Amino acid sequence: MLVNLEINKSNLEKNLKIVRSINKNLICVIKDNAYGLGIENILPILLENKCDYFAVAYIEEAVKIQKLLENLKLKNQNGKIKVMALNYVKPENVGDAIRNNIELTVFNFSQLLDYLKILDEFFENMTLKIHIKVNSGMNRLGFDKNEILELVKIVKKYNLNNKSKNRLEIISIFSHISDAENQAETEKQVEKYEKILKIFSQNNVRYKYSHLQASPLLFKYGKKYNYDFARIGMALYGMEPLSTDVGLLDVITVKSKIINIRNVKKNDKVSYGSKGIVKHDSKIGIVAIGYAHGLQKQIENSNKAYVLVNGQKAKIIGEICMDMIFIDLTNIENVKMNDEVVIIGSQENAENGIVEKITLRQMARWAKTIQDDVLTKFGGIKKTVG
Ligand SMILES: *Cc1c(COP(=O)(O)O)cnc(C)c1O
């Protein structure tokens, strides 16, 4: 493939260090195929750096981790490496979780009852490990505060009465903050979470851990909301979690190549439609990347988006195509076929040594979206770790 995404291992490790300087106990979030970067690329780096707790979205991802651990000959450290699924797991897959020691997230009653039914129907002397998600204000997944007493009753009753000697183990009670940069709202949500935790302990329901921080909460308030763990994703991959940069290092470079160069006369058009009017006699480069590779089509509306060629900005002109874009090379000298084009990342000008950079945040602004969206859209392209 002409498009390539490079993962900078050393910068990922530096970001990990920055995160650990605030909360040293991490659940590394590698959901949705490690934000598109590939679980198989990211997991070995994290393991090498002594990460031992991982969160994925789906049971299939958790099973994939178990397989990778097996291949890395890391399987039997007595469950030292733990995996939780954050998203909904269908009842038909709960057996896989029980057999593979995968921890599930439970966030409503019907889900819990379905899981317990499976446990009793198909297992004996086994443990279902769950993280109970509670709603502190985001109103997405999670038990409400007024449901906790009922939940407590179900959990206690199950562990007392079930005939197959199965156990329901509550690994954690956790929640997720919806607007970390809004301090008043965050304090309200944390207070609610605290109140819910209290209901569990007042009713003598044992749970091992509590955790609340994702990247924005961790970087906004430092150690203030350190519970047993921080669940961290975006910061590891070099995405900036707050509206002002906190100094994380760039992990991602997306590159392609110039595959054609042509001269286009003033007032002629490039690409589909009529957006791409050339304002002066121009040297136009065609670059092999488009929306099929995950490049945000919306950046064509910004009139500002550019890529880097020999460390210099080359403006994108006209509509983004499925697998090509048009760039203005008029003011860049000595450009030729096959020259490298940086879409995200840094590039140095060979003549003067000046380095230009396009960050995920910059691309997100051009596309009027968020960094996570920019990154995960590149999920399908070829990755290399360096
Ligand atoms: C994705 C996710 C995280 C990680 O969030 P980042 O902002 O990427 O660090 C943490 N907790 C939950 C519940 C999530 O869904």
Side-chain angles (χ1 to χ4, degrees), residues 29 31 35 86 133 140 174 176 214-216 231-234:
V29 181
K31 66 186 179 192
Y35 293 50
L86 292 165
K133 190 163 196 186
R140 187 173 59 178
F174 78 104
H176 195 46
S215 301
R231 303 181 307 270
I232 302 298
M234 66 185 301

Side-chain angles (χ1 to χ4, degrees), residues 167-193:
R167 267 187 52 74
L168 179 66
E169 186 181 352
I170 302 174
I171 304 290
S172 84
I173 314 290
F174 78 104
S175 192
H176 195 46
I177 297 296
S178 64
D179 190 6
E181 293 202 276
N182 179 339
Q183 192 173 343
E185 177 64 31
T186 297
E187 279 168 7
K188 211 170 84 187
Q189 296 189 6
V190 173
E191 198 178 317
K192 191 146 180 207
Y193 176 59

Side-chain angles (χ1 to χ4, degrees), residues 107-109 132-151 192 196 199-200:
F107 49 81
N108 71 31
F109 286 116
I132 292 178
K133 190 163 196 186
V134 299
N135 178 25
S136 53
M138 187 165 184
N139 289 311
R140 187 173 59 178
L141 309 179
F143 289 94
D144 284 324
K145 182 162 155 275
N146 64 16
E147 295 176 315
I148 303 299
L149 277 178
E150 171 76 11
L151 174 62
K192 191 146 180 207
I196 291 174
I199 301 175
F200 281 98

Side-chain angles (χ1 to χ4, degrees), residues 18-165:
I18 295 172
V19 168
R20 278 176 164 160
S21 73
I22 305 172
N23 191 340
K24 63 183 195 323
N25 300 317
L26 301 187
I27 297 176
C28 295
V29 181
I30 51 174
K31 66 186 179 192
D32 293 276
N33 204 23
Y35 293 50
L37 297 177
I39 287 177
E40 68 283 3
N41 297 321
I42 300 301
L43 181 70
I45 302 175
L46 296 174
L47 288 170
E48 204 181 298
N49 287 277
K50 301 195 158 41
C51 298
D52 58 4
Y53 216 148
F54 300 96
V56 292
Y58 317 106
I59 184 99
E60 291 83 356
E61 294 181 322
V63 170
K64 180 174 173 176
I65 290 180
Q66 310 274 19
K67 293 223 172 86
L68 287 167
L69 291 177
E70 237 169 277
N71 292 341
L72 295 165
K73 306 254 181 298
L74 278 168
K75 190 184 162 82
N76 278 324
Q77 303 195 329
N78 277 338
K80 241 181 86 186
I81 293 162
K82 291 174 285 187
V83 185
M84 72 177 289
L86 292 165
N87 212 314
Y88 178 60
V89 170
K90 289 182 285 181
E92 68 212 62
N93 293 327
V94 167
D96 290 335
I98 296 167
R99 281 185 290 270
N100 289 298
N101 200 25
I102 293 162
E103 302 168 2
L104 301 181
T105 295
V106 171
F107 49 81
N108 71 31
F109 286 116
S110 86
Q111 184 199 14
L112 177 61
L113 296 178
D114 282 349
Y115 287 7
L116 292 179
K117 206 167 128 198
I118 302 275
L119 186 57
D120 282 345
E121 214 166 299
F122 299 103
F123 295 92
E124 235 176 78
N125 245 325
M126 292 293 271
T127 301
L128 172 62
K129 296 181 175 178
I130 62 166
H131 295 256
I132 292 178
K133 190 163 196 186
V134 299
N135 178 25
S136 53
M138 187 165 184
N139 289 311
R140 187 173 59 178
L141 309 179
F143 289 94
D144 284 324
K145 182 162 155 275
N146 64 16
E147 295 176 315
I148 303 299
L149 277 178
E150 171 76 11
L151 174 62
V152 160
K153 220 157 67 186
I154 294 173
V155 170
K156 281 184 152 177
K157 194 169 145 216
Y158 181 83
N159 279 337
L160 272 177
N161 293 345
N162 88 86
K163 295 173 192 75
S164 6
K165 296 206 173 67

Side-chain angles (χ1 to χ4, degrees), residues 120-337:
D120 282 345
E121 214 166 299
F122 299 103
F123 295 92
E124 235 176 78
N125 245 325
M126 292 293 271
T127 301
L128 172 62
K129 296 181 175 178
I130 62 166
H131 295 256
I132 292 178
K133 190 163 196 186
V134 299
N135 178 25
S136 53
M138 187 165 184
N139 289 311
R140 187 173 59 178
L141 309 179
F143 289 94
D144 284 324
K145 182 162 155 275
N146 64 16
E147 295 176 315
I148 303 299
L149 277 178
E150 171 76 11
L151 174 62
V152 160
K153 220 157 67 186
I154 294 173
V155 170
K156 281 184 152 177
K157 194 169 145 216
Y158 181 83
N159 279 337
L160 272 177
N161 293 345
N162 88 86
K163 295 173 192 75
S164 6
K165 296 206 173 67
N166 290 315
R167 267 187 52 74
L168 179 66
E169 186 181 352
I170 302 174
I171 304 290
S172 84
I173 314 290
F174 78 104
S175 192
H176 195 46
I177 297 296
S178 64
D179 190 6
E181 293 202 276
N182 179 339
Q183 192 173 343
E185 177 64 31
T186 297
E187 279 168 7
K188 211 170 84 187
Q189 296 189 6
V190 173
E191 198 178 317
K192 191 146 180 207
Y193 176 59
E194 286 282 348
K195 279 187 179 152
I196 291 174
L197 287 180
K198 204 172 258 170
I199 301 175
F200 281 98
S201 46
Q202 278 169 348
N203 286 278
N204 300 314
V205 173
R206 257 190 280 166
Y207 59 92
K208 271 183 159 162
Y209 308 120
S210 50
H211 43 102
L212 192 59
Q213 287 155 320
S215 301
L217 192 70
L218 181 108
F219 281 95
K220 176 74 183 172
Y221 304 97
K223 296 173 196 273
K224 183 169 182 194
Y225 298 123
N226 278 16
Y227 290 83
D228 295 300
F229 295 102
R231 303 181 307 270
I232 302 298
M234 66 185 301
L236 300 178
Y237 314 120
M239 288 180 278
E240 282 289 343
L242 302 178
S243 45
T244 51
D245 285 5
V246 300
L248 293 160
L249 290 108
D250 299 317
V251 172
I252 306 307
T253 305
V254 178
K255 286 180 185 165
S256 186
K257 283 184 182 308
I258 293 180
I259 58 163
N260 195 21
I261 300 172
R262 73 183 328 127
N263 294 311
V264 178
K265 285 259 176 283
K266 180 179 171 178
N267 293 330
D268 273 5
K269 285 178 274 190
V270 300
S271 194
Y272 294 113
S274 50
K275 247 180 219 167
I277 297 169
V278 172
K279 293 191 183 105
H280 43 78
D281 287 359
S282 299
K283 182 169 62 174
I284 298 292
I286 315 298
V287 182
I289 186 168
Y291 57 81
H293 307 109
L295 183 65
Q296 301 273 331
K297 176 125 172 71
Q298 292 73 14
I299 63 173
E300 69 194 30
N301 300 320
S302 78
N303 281 321
K304 288 195 185 114
Y306 54 83
V307 296
L308 302 177
V309 178
N310 188 22
Q312 295 158 77
K313 298 174 182 177
K315 216 174 148 204
I316 297 172
I317 308 172
E319 285 204 33
I320 310 284
C321 302
M322 189 179 288
D323 50 19
M324 283 175 264
I325 55 174
F326 298 71
I327 63 172
D328 187 355
L329 296 172
T330 311
N331 298 320
I332 304 178
E333 280 162 31
N334 305 321
V335 197
K336 52 186 192 315
M337 277 286 290

